[in-house]
Amino acid sequence: MEQTPARRDRTAFLRYLPPPAVHGFVLLLVLIFAGAYGAGAVMGPVAPGLVGPAATDDPGGGDDGAGTGHSGGH
């Protein structure tokens, strides 16, 4: 009779664990992420010499949307 409460506690604990398929899915996600990260690390940066628009010498030559039919929120 002493083993019944311990067994009951264990089954109550196991009831709240996710099914094994969830563990497999999480493992699959981790493997895919690790593979993609590894492939990206091997390939290197996408555009190493690319400089954003904030670093250009043009003080305000950006397109303001004139003539496109959009007011730009003004």
Side-chain angles (χ1 to χ4, degrees):
M1 289 289 203
E2 293 179 23
Q3 292 179 356
T4 306
R7 178 178 245 178
R8 194 175 304 161
D9 291 340
R10 184 170 186 236
T11 55
F13 174 72
L14 292 175
R15 185 182 326 158
Y16 295 110
L17 288 177
V22 174
H23 294 288
F25 180 69
V26 169
L27 177 65
L28 181 65
L29 285 178
V30 167
L31 290 175
I32 289 174
F33 177 77
Y37 183 82
V42 168
M43 297 302 288
V46 175
L50 185 65
V51 179
T56 62
D57 293 332
D58 192 8
D63 184 22
D64 62 356
T68 62
H70 297 285
S71 64
H74 299 287

